[in-house]
Amino acid sequence: MEKREELYRGKAKSVYTTDDADRLILLFRNDTSAFDGKRIEQLDRKGMVNNKFNAFIMQKLEEAGIPTQFDKLLGDNECLVKKLEMIPVECVVRNYAAGSLVKRLGVEEGIKLNPYTFELFLKDDAKGDPFINESHVVAFGWGTAENLVRMKELSLKVNEILTKLFDDAGLLLVDFKLEFGTFHGEIVLGDEFSPDGCRLWDKETRKKMDKDRFRQGLGDVIEAYEEVAKRLGVPL
Ligand code: TMP
Ligand code: ASP
């Protein structure tokens, strides 16, 4: 499948049309952004690592019964996906307190959340991805109440599957963000799953192995992503 024209350029990926109206190509770039795109840097190998990481995770999720947009890897930096109508809402599941939850509620980083939490954010960098609730999604027409039920159900199922997968690799799945869209009316997991959009800590040392290394200037960002990939058995 060949790329035709750039349909959309995101902060870390570009989306291309193909000659199939139902399929798109995602190109994972080396751009790494934080703080709603206010800081962007190029990190060598990041596009390749995230593309392969995402392919591995999406295939695991498909095998476990989660409908995803992923079709197949096309090369080091590209994959073929289904063309979804994206819902501009970010679903965040948290197992341990970190990031904006710590800031918003003033709780200690690292405390176990029992049970997990499920939060929604509007995907809008210019507004700083504001925290929203289900009634906003329906009132403003970003998604239906039925869409939300399915998005929550799938997010929690992803949490179960991936918590176990990362635990077996000696990692805590602290939190993660998912985006969904519809494909011929069905809710399907879209976007990507990579260390850019989740928090992963070493189980023993609690060393941060995700994009917080970039956000917090901790260094060795891609080295950490590669270490996670190696522990999971992702072929790079
Ligand atoms: P937060 O603590 O900043 O709300 O982020 C929670 C999780 O969601 C964390 O793993 C990072 C991820 N995330 C994104 O990938 N993109 C975003 O725009 C936001 C707000 C969070
Ligand atoms: N993905 C968002 C950004 O690039 C938020 C983040 O990851 O910090 O700004």
Side-chain angles (χ1 to χ4, degrees), residues 132-145 148:
I132 54 172
N133 70 28
E134 297 187 4
S135 68
H136 298 115
V137 176
V138 179
F140 292 107
W142 297 314
T144 65
L148 282 165

Side-chain angles (χ1 to χ4, degrees), residues 4 11-13 31 41 51 61 69 85 91-92 94 114 149-150 173 181 206 208 215 217 223 225:
R4 287 173 85 176
K11 294 191 294 286
K13 295 190 294 301
D31 293 319
E41 282 174 34
N51 181 39
L61 293 176
Q69 72 171 166
E85 291 293 323
C91 296
V92 170
R94 300 179 195 269
N114 198 8
V149 168
R150 185 71 176 142
L173 178 58
R206 296 213 165 190
K208 295 178 177 172
R215 296 189 189 98
E223 289 75 4
Y225 287 25

Side-chain angles (χ1 to χ4, degrees), residues 94-163:
R94 300 179 195 269
N95 297 307
Y96 293 84
S100 71
L101 180 73
V102 165
K103 267 199 212 130
R104 192 165 62 239
L105 300 184
V107 296
E108 194 189 331
E109 183 181 71
I111 59 169
K112 176 99 178 89
L113 301 169
N114 198 8
Y116 52 75
T117 64
F118 178 73
E119 299 172 350
L120 301 173
F121 295 84
L122 177 63
K123 189 174 168 67
D124 186 335
D125 281 335
K127 296 190 174 81
D129 287 350
F131 189 51
I132 54 172
N133 70 28
E134 297 187 4
S135 68
H136 298 115
V137 176
V138 179
F140 292 107
W142 297 314
T144 65
E146 294 74 31
N147 291 160
L148 282 165
V149 168
R150 185 71 176 142
M151 286 157 67
K152 181 170 180 183
E153 179 191 24
L154 290 174
S155 297
L156 300 182
K157 199 165 164 202
V158 167
N159 191 37
E160 261 179 48
I161 300 162
L162 296 187
T163 293

Side-chain angles (χ1 to χ4, degrees), residues 11 33-37 196 211 215:
K11 294 191 294 286
S33 82
F35 314 114
D36 301 320
D196 270 9
K211 200 163 87 171
R215 296 189 189 98

